[in-house]
Amino acid sequence: MESLARFLNKLRIYSHREDFSLELDEEMAFHREQREEDLREDGVSAEVAHHAAMREFGNAARLKDQVEEIVGFSFETVLQDFRYALRQLRRNPGFAFAVILILGLGIGATTAIFSVVNPILFKSLPYPQPDRIMTLQEIGSDGSHLQGTFGMYRGLLERTRLFESMAVLKPWQPAIIGTRAPERLDGQRVSASFFHVLGVAPALGRDFNAADDRRNGPNVVLLSNALWQKHFAGDPAIIGRQVTLDDSVNDAPIQRGSYLVIGVMPQSFDDVLAPAAQLWSPLQYDMSTEFPAWGHVMRTVGRLRPGVSVDQASREINELGQAVLKEQHPVSYGRHVQFITSSLQDDLTRSVKPALLAVLGAVLLVLVIACVNVTNLLLARGVQRRGEFAMRAALGAGRSRLIRQLLTESLLLAAIGGAVGIAVAKLGVRALVTISPVGLPRVGTIGIDSSVFAFGLGITTLIGLLFGLTPALQAARSDPNRDLQQGARSIAGGNRRTRGALVTAEVALALVLLICSGLLLRSLERLIAVTPGFDSSNMLTMQVQTSGHRFDDNDSTFRFFDQALEAVRHVPGVTTAGMSSELPLSGDLEEYGAHFEATPTQTADSDSVFRYAVTPGYLETIRIPLLRGRLLNDHDRSGAPRVVLISESIAKLRFPGVDPIGKRIGIGPDDGQPFTIVGVVGDVKQMSLALNQSEAVYISESQSWFADSAMSLVVRGRGDAAALAAAIHQAIWAVDKDQLIERVATMDSLLAASEAQRHFALLLFEGFALVALLLAAAGIYGVLAGSVAERTREIGVRAALGASRSNILALIFRQGMRLTITGVAFGLIASIAASQALVSLLFGVSRLDPVTYLGVIVLLIAVSAVACWVPAWRAARVDPASTLRAG
Amino acid sequence: MAKKTDLMPGTLDMLILKTLTRTPLHGYGIALSIKRISDDVLTVEEGSLYPALQRLLLQGWVKAEWRQTETNRRARFYTLTLTGRKQLSRELSQFDQMVAAIGRVLQDA
């Protein structure tokens, strides 16, 4: 505690610092002279007395230092240390730059990645008791995940005892008309209890109730806060007003009309099931005209009663689900369907979790490598500065003062590195969000994670303190005399071994990262080499949507698409064009049940298949090969016998050794007319290049049991198909200018987008692996260069004793390569273990793929050979005469 | 450097204050006086003396002024202040208590 008097005294001294210093000098000089005089009076000779007095008095500079510390304010020495530290860093900018860069990158990259991963994987959903919210899915006989059917939802809802509420939902893209230019919005059609399942209530107005969610119920809508602000300026009087929405994209019921706004959701509400959703309307499922037991298009969610475990719920749903199936499909019941009940959190993150965890692991490795590198740099610098510290100790710097000095330097480095780290993290997060694949959940909540940043900064600072201090402790412990004489040349063997071990660790870690990214790269290569089953090159695709009351009946919808297609075919430059309800690798997913009749070898069975309702010309344009029979043509219209093309996989699975042509299958509702198989076509990748799910049927659009209100157009032309986009727009609008054209993309870009997630992981891994490789190379170079500088004299002696340049070159080179090879050996073991974590991201490549391992090892050794060569070459140039003379 | 008899920690300030009760002295004089009175048992190192004097100055227990010595040289003389005197008596009574306590323990042993 500093009393007021003390403080004032200090202040007085502070303002007369010069005088104080002079007086102290004089006082000490007086002391020494007085002692000298006394000694002389005792009969000691003048010279001896002088030296004795000097010696007895001891180190005047240190004494003065101590006194000044007592009378000075504590910030003064801090400032002094700070100035000195800055000077030190400026004197050695290469070192400072390297440390700051490594720290900045390490801290920044870790913070950025963790900031992205944390909200997605680890932060719980923004709803009350989020662990009670479940999603329900079915697993088909081929192991694929399916959404539920409306019939299943109703069946489960009637029977469940463990769920408090359940809801189904499906996407909805109405256009809002009136207030501004028409705008297509993302929304959801939900059953009445959807918001109850989430545990969220509107901020204004009311939630949906059962009366809203009936067939032919009232047109009501809930708005998001953002939509309310944007279109209605946040006017609370919006409740009870009508808005005009055109939602004709959805199958049925087709509606363009007035919707009553009944509420506005809270600003904080984040619909994790559809992050872009801005409005919600009741599902109003029509049990009488639709086919509730078919169409796996309903996302099903439920809220568990308190205290019910996921396991209990899972068992209940499986049991009840089987009962519902038996009731709904009495004929075909018996196929293996399983139900999965998982928490919404797990369901949302399941697809991205492996990639994100792998990336997180990679960035942690980079942080470790960065730490190792900084440690190495600090140790090397400590050795270089031994002379300096010995000098300062001899000149009277106390041990605590030296340590404090080094602490200041380390903290300064850590602080600047941290500042760079924040900048890197900010840029990194922004870049990551930008390049993140579409469909990464909860991207909106991503921000810099301050606790992670603190962690990264803390770790690196700790390392700085620990290893930056070593030289000071050594200097304080060791004999200044010897260190001064030997200067930086003397190096503790222990230190050199430590640094060697660190470099080995760096090489090993870099190898792990390189092998992981190598495996991912090879997987991506394999994937790209997978043929999607059609010719994706130079093909333009777009989705054409019908809207308006005049499409209320199927025939006018069919007619519009026919006319639009015809118009497109007449666009100059277009060679072929066709339409399909479903486009491969576009995210479209439309599955229906297919019923196979009993054959002599197989019993009757049902399975879900992809349904492609196509126009003639679609298969020709996309170039799916015809294997048997014929393709669809203009005669396969409504009224004509229903025909179907099946994929090769169905032919193999359902008609082994039999000619499927002429056989009949039921598709869709049980009561429909069966389809006759007229052709077999090649398999197509629908969901992803990596998935083999390819059982598909192609029917003629006009023979379908309902008219799709949106069709994807595929166009091939002479030259660049993408250049035709504008002309095609015009042609379609010439038929009907009110129709929406969306999702314009080349097939190649759809193909790339379908692998975006893998690409994303690969991109990050490549980045990290590159950084790791550079850091490892820098580490090897640093250690060898330092070692050559320290051993200049020894090398000179060797040269003088007859060692040739190549001998010396080999000596240093071997030293570096030994570190590399040891690192590679450890790295191999670590890689074999680490690659286990990547398995789910790999495709067509074993995690122990020898080509990758070999390639990476060769690459790493080559790079480190270059890093070794430079110092070795420098060592070989050492002039023996000059070094020996200098020593 | 020869090994010196270490002072008990915290006693240096007290010794300096006590030495100054008789007459103002300069730093060298204080060191000499302590050494002489203790029959050469207690040696005050310059390395502790001058920092200690600055500490006492800051606390306001002593004050310093430049004066002429008997040999006509300029030296900084330290004088005990009133608060210094109070501090000394406080420290002395604490010291006495401690010595008595140590004595009792040693006798008992």
Side-chain angles (χ1 to χ4, degrees):
Chain A
M1 259 221 327
E2 199 150 292
S3 73
L4 184 66
R6 227 176 103 106
F7 178 76
L8 290 176
N9 278 332
K10 275 191 176 184
L11 206 61
R12 206 180 52 232
I13 295 169
Y14 183 69
S15 54
H16 302 94
R17 179 49 61 78
E18 295 274 293
D19 296 347
F20 178 81
S21 181
L22 287 175
E23 286 181 353
L24 199 62
D25 283 342
E26 188 180 347
E27 184 173 30
M28 292 192 297
F30 169 79
H31 189 113
R32 281 192 299 269
E33 284 161 21
Q34 208 64 42
R35 175 73 185 140
E36 200 179 320
E37 228 171 272
D38 285 358
L39 283 171
R40 268 214 308 280
E41 274 170 25
D42 289 349
V44 181
S45 78
E47 198 184 333
V48 174
H50 179 72
H51 284 294
M54 293 292 277
R55 202 171 50 243
E56 270 179 36
F57 193 80
N59 193 326
R62 182 183 292 183
L63 176 53
K64 223 175 135 182
D65 234 26
Q66 281 173 354
V67 170
E68 276 177 350
E69 214 169 286
I70 288 170
V71 301
F73 293 102
S74 40
F75 71 83
E76 281 184 78
T77 52
V78 172
L79 272 182
Q80 239 176 46
D81 286 345
F82 184 73
R83 271 197 300 271
Y84 184 78
L86 269 184
R87 210 157 53 228
Q88 279 297 324
L89 296 186
R90 228 177 295 139
R91 250 180 39 191
N92 204 337
F95 165 78
F97 183 73
V99 170
I100 289 167
L101 192 73
I102 294 167
L103 284 182
L105 282 179
I107 298 172
T110 317
T111 310
I113 294 291
F114 202 84
S115 299
V116 170
V117 172
N118 189 37
I120 296 174
L121 288 192
F122 305 119
K123 217 174 255 172
S124 55
L125 297 174
Y127 307 122
Q129 295 99 41
D131 49 331
R132 279 167 53 196
I133 307 175
M134 299 288 131
T135 60
L136 310 181
Q137 285 180 316
E138 293 178 25
I139 307 183
S141 51
D142 58 351
S144 59
H145 285 230
L146 297 175
Q147 300 296 2
T149 61
F150 188 80
M152 178 57 68
Y153 154 71
R154 286 300 296 264
L156 290 175
L157 188 61
E158 281 161 16
R159 293 169 170 82
T160 181
R161 268 193 285 262
L162 300 182
F163 280 84
E164 198 174 273
S165 53
M166 266 188 202
V168 282
L169 45 134
K170 61 177 193 176
W172 181 42
Q173 271 117 21
I176 186 161
I177 292 161
T179 52
R180 302 152 141 248
E183 185 183 349
R184 176 94 30 209
L185 299 172
D186 271 311
Q188 283 179 309
R189 284 276 190 187
V190 300
S191 60
S193 48
F194 175 60
F195 292 107
H196 182 260
V197 169
L198 295 187
V200 182
L204 271 180
R206 65 168 180 89
D207 195 353
F208 299 128
N209 58 37
D212 297 325
D213 187 21
R214 279 182 293 114
R215 176 189 166 210
N216 299 329
N219 278 348
V220 293
V221 67
L222 275 167
L223 309 180
S224 75
N225 187 282
L227 181 67
W228 179 48
Q229 298 292 348
K230 187 176 163 197
H231 279 260
F232 308 103
D235 179 8
I238 186 69
I239 309 295
R241 286 215 331 239
Q242 301 280 337
V243 294
T244 308
L245 297 177
D246 180 341
D247 69 344
S248 47
V249 178
N250 296 279
D251 312 343
I254 290 168
Q255 285 167 341
R256 175 180 191 140
S258 225
Y259 279 71
L260 180 70
V261 177
I262 60 163
V264 177
M265 295 309 290
Q267 192 176 0
S268 58
F269 176 59
D270 182 13
D271 188 346
V272 298
L273 287 149
Q278 305 219 56
L279 31 72
W280 298 267
S281 190
L283 189 63
Q284 299 181 341
Y285 194 88
D286 188 345
M287 293 283 278
S288 63
T289 62
E290 297 182 60
F291 307 97
W294 297 102
H296 289 267
V297 293
M298 295 285 177
R299 191 114 183 227
T300 313
V301 294
R303 178 173 279 269
L304 289 177
R305 292 186 189 284
V308 178
S309 73
V310 179
D311 270 354
Q312 287 172 307
S314 206
R315 272 198 302 277
E316 187 198 55
I317 291 299
N318 220 348
E319 211 171 279
L320 300 182
Q322 300 297 344
V324 175
L325 277 182
K326 204 164 190 172
E327 184 185 282
Q328 292 179 342
H329 304 279
V331 184
S332 57
Y333 177 75
R335 68 186 175 119
H336 300 283
V337 171
Q338 293 232 306
F339 295 82
I340 341 174
T341 308
S342 50
S343 80
L344 180 56
Q345 171 102 3
D346 289 348
D347 184 44
L348 286 176
T349 55
R350 189 180 50 230
S351 65
V352 293
K353 203 170 191 169
L356 289 181
L357 285 182
V359 168
L360 192 62
V363 79
L364 286 177
L365 279 186
V366 170
L367 183 65
V368 172
I369 293 178
C371 288
V372 170
N373 224 312
V374 168
T375 306
N376 235 334
L377 281 172
L378 288 171
L379 284 179
R381 183 149 161 79
V383 172
Q384 285 167 14
R385 290 178 71 183
R386 277 183 91 168
E388 175 200 332
F389 282 105
M391 176 75 79
R392 299 184 65 204
L395 289 178
R399 179 181 156 137
S400 66
R401 191 62 203 274
L402 281 182
I403 290 177
R404 217 168 46 204
Q405 174 63 52
L406 275 163
L407 280 182
T408 312
E409 279 187 43
S410 298
L411 286 175
L412 185 66
L413 279 176
I416 303 177
V420 174
I422 288 192
V424 171
K426 278 225 161 113
L427 286 176
V429 166
R430 204 175 307 155
L432 283 172
V433 170
T434 315
I435 63 169
S436 65
V438 182
L440 201 62
R442 308 187 70 193
V443 167
T445 56
I446 290 171
I448 297 263
D449 194 305
S450 52
S451 55
V452 182
F453 177 76
F455 171 76
L457 188 61
I459 288 233
T460 44
T461 308
L462 201 70
I463 285 178
L465 294 185
L466 224 60
F467 295 96
L469 278 182
T470 333
L473 295 177
Q474 275 172 355
R477 229 184 295 119
S478 65
D479 176 9
N481 195 21
R482 202 199 63 211
D483 278 357
L484 271 177
Q485 278 172 9
Q486 301 190 333
R489 220 179 303 132
S490 73
I491 172 169
N495 192 331
R496 199 190 291 171
R497 266 198 301 280
T498 313
R499 291 175 54 200
L502 287 173
V503 166
T504 306
E506 248 178 286
V507 172
L509 293 172
L511 187 81
V512 173
L513 272 179
L514 282 170
I515 283 185
C516 289
S517 58
L519 288 172
L520 286 175
L521 187 69
R522 296 260 298 157
S523 297
L524 204 67
E525 267 173 16
R526 289 283 168 94
L527 263 180
I528 289 166
V530 168
T531 52
F534 54 88
D535 177 7
S536 68
S537 65
N538 209 16
M539 183 163 58
L540 184 69
T541 76
M542 60 185 73
Q543 195 180 50
V544 184
Q545 303 172 350
T546 57
S547 85
H549 271 302
R550 58 190 206 80
F551 297 110
D552 283 359
D553 66 295
N554 288 352
D555 285 343
S556 46
T557 309
F558 295 142
R559 207 163 38 242
F560 165 69
F561 284 127
D562 276 354
Q563 287 169 355
L565 186 58
E566 207 45 44
V568 169
R569 285 185 174 139
H570 282 102
V571 169
V574 171
T575 51
T576 56
M579 286 183 171
S580 169
S581 60
E582 222 183 342
L583 197 62
L585 302 173
S586 65
D588 285 342
L589 172 59
E590 203 190 343
E591 284 180 300
Y592 280 87
H595 182 67
F596 301 93
E597 292 173 345
T599 64
T601 51
Q602 285 187 314
T603 54
D605 196 6
S606 287
D607 205 348
S608 65
V609 296
F610 292 116
R611 162 192 175 272
Y612 298 83
V614 302
T615 64
Y618 169 75
L619 288 131
E620 294 90 325
T621 304
I622 195 169
R623 292 183 187 155
I624 296 172
L626 175 69
L627 304 175
R628 291 181 83 90
R630 67 168 176 91
L631 289 175
L632 301 175
N633 60 40
D634 285 335
H635 302 294
D636 302 317
R637 309 195 62 86
S638 60
R642 284 175 135 187
V643 293
V644 62
L645 306 178
I646 59 171
S647 65
E648 188 182 5
S649 50
I650 293 188
K652 280 193 180 139
L653 193 68
R654 300 290 168 186
F655 305 99
V658 188
D659 185 1
I661 306 291
K663 298 280 188 301
R664 301 198 307 175
I665 54 177
I667 304 167
D670 286 344
D671 56 356
Q673 286 283 317
F675 291 79
T676 305
I677 299 170
V678 294
V680 178
V681 297
D683 284 337
V684 163
K685 302 283 182 189
Q686 174 62 29
M687 304 302 292
S688 149
L689 289 178
L691 290 177
N692 268 329
Q693 195 188 350
S694 52
E695 282 133 66
V697 294
Y698 297 83
I699 55 174
S700 179
E701 169 65 8
S702 51
Q703 291 187 338
S704 176
W705 57 97
F706 71 91
D708 293 87
S709 60
M711 296 280 278
S712 287
L713 175 69
V714 293
V715 177
R716 249 177 233 284
R718 286 182 290 274
D720 184 13
L724 295 170
I728 291 171
H729 268 83
Q730 292 308 324
I732 295 171
W733 280 331
V735 175
D736 185 333
K737 65 173 173 45
D738 289 338
Q739 308 313 315
L740 280 155
I741 297 171
E742 302 217 316
R743 241 174 46 184
V744 181
T746 63
M747 198 67 224
D748 278 330
S749 66
L750 286 181
L751 208 64
S754 74
E755 298 313 323
Q757 206 162 297
R758 216 177 243 101
H759 219 124
F760 180 61
L762 175 69
L763 195 70
L764 291 176
F765 261 89
E766 278 178 338
F768 295 148
L770 188 69
V771 170
L773 184 64
L774 288 178
L775 287 179
I780 294 170
Y781 171 80
V783 163
L784 278 194
S787 157
V788 166
E790 288 146 15
R791 290 168 72 185
T792 309
R793 199 178 147 86
E794 176 207 322
I795 292 167
V797 171
R798 281 174 190 268
L801 292 178
S804 71
R805 283 197 171 166
S806 57
N807 282 346
I808 290 167
L809 198 101
L811 175 81
I812 301 297
F813 196 74
R814 261 206 308 275
Q815 187 194 346
M817 290 319 279
R818 205 160 37 231
L819 295 178
T820 307
I821 303 287
T822 319
V824 165
F826 282 112
L828 266 181
I829 298 167
S831 298
I832 289 168
S835 60
Q836 183 68 50
L838 275 185
V839 166
S840 66
L841 293 175
L842 299 183
F843 175 83
V845 170
S846 151
R847 70 185 179 90
L848 303 177
D849 178 47
V851 178
T852 308
Y853 279 67
L854 207 67
V856 165
I857 290 171
V858 168
L859 172 73
L860 188 62
I861 289 180
V863 169
S864 81
V866 174
C868 293
W869 184 263
V870 179
W873 184 80
R874 206 176 290 152
R877 304 278 124 184
V878 165
D879 174 16
S882 68
T883 49
L884 290 179
R885 232 177 283 127
Chain B
M1 273 181 255
K3 183 98 181 137
K4 287 166 186 140
T5 311
D6 287 334
L7 283 173
M8 273 169 69
T11 52
L12 178 59
D13 287 7
M14 191 172 64
L15 291 180
I16 294 172
L17 292 175
K18 178 70 191 168
T19 313
L20 292 177
T21 50
R22 282 180 291 277
T23 171
L25 282 169
H26 46 62
Y28 183 69
I30 295 170
L32 214 61
S33 171
I34 291 175
K35 192 175 175 198
R36 197 172 295 152
I37 294 173
S38 69
D39 290 332
D40 287 355
V41 174
L42 299 176
T43 320
V44 182
E45 268 186 78
E46 295 76 7
S48 357
L49 175 65
Y50 287 97
L53 281 171
Q54 287 299 333
R55 244 188 340 260
L56 298 178
L57 273 173
L58 277 183
Q59 297 286 0
W61 293 334
V62 298
K63 60 179 194 230
E65 55 187 334
W66 290 89
R67 286 191 212 164
Q68 299 294 324
T69 64
E70 300 135 33
T71 52
N72 259 342
R73 298 205 36 193
R74 223 169 83 90
R76 181 144 54 177
F77 278 79
Y78 295 87
T79 315
L80 197 63
T81 63
L82 201 64
T83 50
R85 216 171 273 281
K86 281 182 195 154
Q87 173 66 16
L88 175 62
S89 65
R90 246 194 322 270
E91 288 195 13
L92 280 176
S93 71
Q94 274 172 13
F95 185 74
D96 283 343
Q97 276 174 17
M98 199 203 293
V99 170
I102 293 172
R104 278 195 299 278
V105 172
L106 293 180
Q107 252 172 16
D108 201 46

